[in-house]
Amino acid sequence: MNTQSNVMPESPLDSQGIAPAVVSATQPLYWSVRRELWENRYIYIVPLAVGAVTVFGFLIATIGRAMAMPNLAQRLAVLQEPYSFSTGLIMAATFVVGIFYCLDALHGERRDRSILFWKSLPVSDLTTVLSKVSIPLVVLPLLTLGIVVATQWIMMLLSSLVLLGSGLSVAMLWAKLSLPEMWLMLLYHTVTVHVFWYAPIYAWLLLVSGWARRAPFLWAALPAAAIAVVEKVAFNTSHFAAWLQYRFSGPEHFAFPASGDSPSHVMMHLSLGTFLSTSGLWIGLAVAAALLVAAVRLRRYQGPI
């Protein structure tokens, strides 16, 4: 009698060792990113604290200013004001966190000599640098989106409670703000500007972090300041300073709109094709790739401070 085996037949992928190879290739990067979050808790504590302070300030505004307004139009205006401000404040906080993290990412492990321990592990320098650059380019943008969405949702609920407590309808407020469109605009801005456009800035800071023996912030800022000063003194021009401003602020049509612009109006002007055709984008990505390659080589040969 033939008996059937309970063991499932081995798939061709398993027999060729493809699945284990994929797992073994991604696990070091995954655990390296988790290590960065565990060692640098301010990465998520600071944005969460900014979001909490924003909600607290909005609560005071809804209880105090909004309820003191005599008519509905003025009350709605007070309730709408903080949304753009809170979004910009949280995004600015995460951008500052990304800057200080990158400046300390490679410098910190050399300073406290933990680099001797991490180099003894089977994790390549490429994996380590990729895990560190993924914090400002992947983790912080996702964290920003989540905190902004949660903050604005809480603000919307507080606004609705204020209007309902006054015996007014919340339909006008929900139609005026349109949170889904605001979040879609935020996603577009985060991916285009804070990920792709700022990539060379974070890569430069990582490179300086791996090279400088002390004061990485000064070494990151002084070359740019020196170039701008020399250009101004020698040629009476400010092209380099204008380029720095362009790189930090982003193209004008990707900047956040004024608080008076409605989400629907702003969405009409978002053009992915225009962004992808911008020469500064591709030049910046090429520079970022070159800087990251240099950072990998620096970590390979740099020792503890």
Side-chain angles (χ1 to χ4, degrees):
M1 179 182 298
N2 294 330
T3 59
Q4 294 182 350
S5 174
N6 292 327
V7 180
M8 296 295 293
E10 187 178 21
S11 66
L13 293 179
D14 292 338
S15 63
Q16 296 176 12
I18 295 179
V22 173
V23 173
S24 62
T26 56
Q27 273 191 343
L29 180 61
Y30 169 75
W31 286 107
S32 297
V33 173
R34 290 197 61 175
R35 193 247 304 183
E36 296 299 321
L37 294 175
W38 178 69
E39 290 187 343
N40 305 278
R41 292 184 173 89
Y42 67 88
I43 292 174
Y44 53 86
I45 290 178
V46 171
L48 286 173
V50 173
V53 171
T54 302
V55 171
F56 179 72
F58 184 76
L59 179 62
I60 296 177
T62 55
I63 295 177
R65 293 176 57 209
M67 295 299 293
M69 294 300 169
N71 57 61
L72 176 60
Q74 293 177 336
R75 192 168 298 179
L76 284 175
V78 171
L79 295 177
Q80 292 173 204
E81 285 176 2
Y83 282 85
S84 296
F85 174 77
S86 63
T87 301
L89 185 63
I90 295 172
M91 299 193 75
T94 54
F95 180 59
V96 173
V97 168
I99 289 177
F100 281 94
Y101 167 80
C102 289
L103 286 172
D104 189 64
L106 296 174
H107 184 266
E109 65 178 12
R110 293 165 56 219
R111 185 180 59 249
D112 60 19
R113 297 181 180 271
S114 63
I115 190 173
L116 299 175
F117 170 73
W118 296 115
K119 281 191 173 183
S120 66
L121 298 180
V123 180
S124 66
D125 297 300
L126 176 61
T127 299
T128 301
V129 172
L130 288 180
S131 67
K132 293 181 183 298
V133 78
S134 67
I135 297 298
L137 294 183
V138 179
V139 175
L140 280 175
L142 291 176
L143 187 63
T144 301
L145 288 171
I147 294 176
V148 169
V149 168
T151 300
Q152 291 187 346
W153 183 252
I154 295 174
M155 291 167 61
M156 177 64 79
L157 292 180
L158 292 175
S159 303
S160 301
L161 290 176
V162 169
L163 293 177
L164 290 175
S166 305
L168 303 172
S169 174
V170 300
M172 184 179 298
L173 177 67
W174 283 77
K176 182 72 174 178
L177 290 176
S178 185
L179 289 182
E181 289 186 359
M182 294 176 63
W183 295 339
L184 182 60
M185 180 187 67
L186 175 64
L187 175 62
Y188 176 85
H189 177 88
T190 302
V191 173
T192 55
V193 177
H194 288 261
V195 177
F196 292 109
W197 194 258
Y198 288 164
I201 298 176
Y202 294 129
W204 164 251
L205 297 177
L206 275 176
L207 178 64
V208 174
S209 176
W211 173 81
R213 295 188 61 86
R214 58 181 58 88
F217 180 82
L218 291 179
W219 284 110
L222 283 179
I227 293 174
V229 170
V230 170
E231 180 195 358
K232 183 65 176 178
V233 173
F235 306 103
N236 195 28
T237 58
S238 303
H239 299 300
F240 185 76
W243 176 83
L244 284 179
Q245 182 181 2
Y246 172 68
R247 176 55 60 177
F248 274 94
S249 62
E252 183 179 355
H253 49 284
F254 301 127
F256 260 103
S259 58
D261 293 339
S262 66
S264 300
H265 174 74
V266 175
M267 291 300 297
M268 294 172 58
H269 298 280
L270 299 182
S271 174
L272 183 60
T274 303
F275 176 74
L276 294 177
S277 63
T278 304
S279 59
L281 167 67
W282 301 107
I283 294 175
L285 292 178
V287 171
L291 293 174
L292 290 178
V293 170
V296 172
R297 294 186 63 84
L298 270 178
R299 189 181 187 275
R300 184 175 304 165
Y301 299 111
Q302 291 280 47
I305 301 175

